[in-house]
């Protein structure tokens, strides 16, 4: 007889021994699935990290809708390049720093964010010039090799002249530190960067587009199935099932993950131990676009 748990990866097989509540806890917790585009982007980031220092470092803009997996991808990269204590130096080495863009094109708050991430005491009300000096000094001191800025579209909520100024600051940081920058944001961020020819030539856009039916999507579903500790195979890659999951999640990775998580929990609680059409029908699933409409009607 074939192994009854061969549809699962090793971690998930072990998780089958947990109590029901612990297994549900496990299903709820965050998991990383290395889909092909993510792996490709991670290796692009690796290449950038080892790019020789020049006065004109290449930069990347990871573009995708909300819930496409941008932040998780960048976090994964940061985790694989953690800070370490340098026994020969007086400061820790911090190869990669990720900060959120401020809620507007505000250079001063960007500096605050960087200093906070590095736990550097600072005076938020110091002049911009003073903070810039402090930031550049610290970033050189810790040997920063890449700066990642999440939610870079935030800067679009300000006057265009301020946006330009902010983008120029980014260019300046990259030039002065000779490090690549990585921005994460929506299509609007891409448009803002493309408005500046100099920035446009430096930032290579990489898209995390909505999922469509195809080989990569089936591989993604197969990985989810292997990772979710259910006793029976769900066969998520069967065509009708795959199409149903794609339709319900509207092509969004975050929505798909939420849907499969809810399905897996239902499968454990109900004893069906697999996600099938019946389980999906039993969930109170409201499609993402319907949810948005409902939210709009509230206000
Ligand atoms: N590589 C991945 N493996 C598994 N789930 C993922 C992955 N990337 C994203 N997700 C799921 O999608 C959700 C949204 O991802 P996130 O990175 O926050 O999107 P974005 O930053 O594009 O809005 C996450 O909370 C997680 O549930
Ligand atoms: Mg995000």
């Amino acid at each position: 007889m074939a192994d009854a748990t061969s549809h699962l990866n090793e971690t998930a097989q072990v998780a089958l021994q947990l109590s029901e509540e612990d297994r549900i806890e496990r299903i709820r917790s965050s998991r990383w699935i290395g889909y092909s585009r993510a792996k490709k982007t991670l290796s692009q980031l690796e290449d950038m990290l080892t790019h020789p220092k020049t006065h004109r470092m290449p930069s990347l803009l990871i573009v995708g809708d909300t819930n496409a997996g941008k932040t998780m991808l960048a976090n994964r990269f940061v985790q694989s390049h953690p800070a370490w204590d340098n026994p020969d130096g007086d400061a820790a080495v911090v190869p990669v720093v990720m900060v959120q863009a401020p809620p507007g094109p505000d250079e001063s708050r960007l500096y605050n964010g960087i200093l906070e991430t590095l736990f550097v005491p600072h005076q938020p009300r110091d002049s911009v010039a003073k903070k810039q000096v402090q930031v550049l000094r610290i970033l050189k001191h810790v040997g920063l090799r890449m700066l990642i800025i999440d939610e870079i579209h935030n800067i679009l909520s300000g006057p265009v002249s301020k946006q330009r100024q902010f983008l120029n600051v980014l260019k300046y940081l990259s030039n002065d530190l000779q490090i690549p920058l990585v921005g994460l944001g929506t299509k609007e961020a891409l448009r803002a960067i493309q408005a500046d020819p100099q920035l446009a030539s430096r930032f290579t856009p990489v898209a995390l587009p909505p999922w469509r039916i195809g080989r990569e999507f089936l591989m993604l579903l197969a990985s989810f199935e292997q990772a979710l500790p259910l006793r029976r195979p769900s066969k998520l890659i069967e065509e009708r099932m795959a199409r149903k999951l794609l339709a319900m999640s509207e092509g969004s990775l975050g929505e798909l993950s939420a849907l499969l998580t809810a399905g897996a929990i239902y499968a454990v609680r109900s004893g069906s131990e697999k996600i099938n059409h019946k389980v999906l029908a039993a969930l109170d699933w409201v499609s993402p676009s319907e949810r948005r409409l409902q939210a709009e009607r509230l206000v």
Side-chain angles (χ1 to χ4, degrees), residues 65-72 75 98 100 150-151 153 184-185:
D65 294 338
T66 173
N67 247 341
K70 304 181 293 299
T71 302
M72 203 146 157
N75 272 331
M98 171 146 109
Q100 275 223 355
D150 198 2
E151 311 270 355
H153 47 262
L184 316 180

Side-chain angles (χ1 to χ4, degrees), residues 31-35 38 65-73 150 224 253-254 257:
R31 74 188 71 81
W32 168 260
I33 290 186
Y35 53 98
D65 294 338
T66 173
N67 247 341
K70 304 181 293 299
T71 302
M72 203 146 157
L73 181 69
D150 198 2
F224 268 108
L253 178 54
S257 171

Side-chain angles (χ1 to χ4, degrees), residues 20-286:
E20 199 173 298
E21 279 318 302
D22 287 346
R23 188 147 58 101
I24 287 173
E25 187 69 34
R26 178 67 63 84
I27 290 169
R28 278 215 183 95
S29 59
S30 169
R31 74 188 71 81
W32 168 260
I33 290 186
Y35 53 98
S36 50
R37 216 174 257 268
K39 287 190 206 152
K40 206 172 135 216
T41 310
L42 286 173
S43 85
Q44 246 173 312
L45 292 171
E46 287 295 339
D47 285 347
M48 284 172 68
L49 198 62
T50 51
H51 193 282
K53 281 191 181 290
T54 68
H55 62 283
R56 205 168 176 286
M57 297 298 284
S59 290
L60 206 66
L61 185 67
I62 301 177
V63 188
D65 294 338
T66 173
N67 247 341
K70 304 181 293 299
T71 302
M72 203 146 157
L73 181 69
N75 272 331
R76 178 89 180 169
F77 186 74
V78 173
Q79 279 157 17
S80 60
H81 298 282
W84 48 282
D85 271 323
N86 179 5
D88 304 325
D90 52 358
V93 176
V94 186
V96 182
V97 161
M98 171 146 109
V99 291
Q100 275 223 355
D106 183 343
E107 182 187 342
S108 181
R109 290 179 76 169
L110 173 72
Y111 296 142
N112 293 346
I114 293 174
L115 294 168
E116 273 155 32
T117 305
L118 290 169
F119 304 108
V120 176
H122 61 285
Q123 292 294 335
R125 264 170 290 171
D126 272 352
S127 72
V128 175
K130 193 164 170 190
K131 272 193 252 182
Q132 185 178 67
V133 172
Q134 190 183 9
V135 162
L136 287 172
R137 187 160 36 90
I138 298 281
L139 294 182
K140 281 176 192 158
H141 200 56
V142 300
L144 187 78
R145 284 156 60 204
M146 178 184 284
L147 179 62
I148 305 178
I149 301 165
D150 198 2
E151 311 270 355
I152 201 161
H153 47 262
N154 278 355
I155 67 159
L156 300 176
S157 62
V160 172
S161 61
K162 279 274 199 183
Q163 294 175 23
R164 282 285 154 80
Q165 198 182 325
F166 189 91
L167 291 171
N168 269 314
V169 167
L170 295 186
K171 199 156 55 185
Y172 179 76
L173 289 179
S174 167
N175 288 346
D176 193 80
L177 299 164
Q178 299 193 311
I179 56 166
L181 297 180
V182 175
L184 316 180
T186 58
K187 270 186 221 130
E188 287 69 34
L190 178 62
R191 249 173 254 141
I193 283 179
Q194 280 174 337
D196 177 327
Q198 267 204 48
L199 276 170
S201 70
R202 197 177 303 188
F203 272 93
T204 308
V206 171
L208 291 182
W211 289 84
R212 292 183 316 181
I213 211 79
R215 208 175 91 91
E216 290 192 10
F217 183 63
L218 298 183
M219 281 166 60
L220 176 72
L221 291 181
S223 303
F224 268 108
E225 177 156 348
Q226 282 158 15
L228 291 168
L230 296 177
R231 297 192 196 286
R232 300 169 67 194
S234 302
K235 306 207 179 91
L236 301 182
I237 65 168
E238 279 189 353
E239 184 172 356
R240 202 162 74 90
M241 188 60 167
R243 286 192 187 277
K244 179 82 183 162
L245 291 168
L246 185 68
M248 288 174 86
S249 60
E250 296 179 346
S252 148
L253 178 54
E255 294 290 346
L256 179 69
S257 171
L259 175 62
L260 291 175
T261 299
I265 292 172
Y266 188 94
V268 172
R269 291 232 162 97
S270 67
S272 74
E273 290 292 341
K274 64 178 178 188
I275 301 169
N276 54 17
H277 286 277
K278 222 166 120 188
V279 166
L280 292 181
L283 300 175
D284 291 319
W285 183 259
V286 182

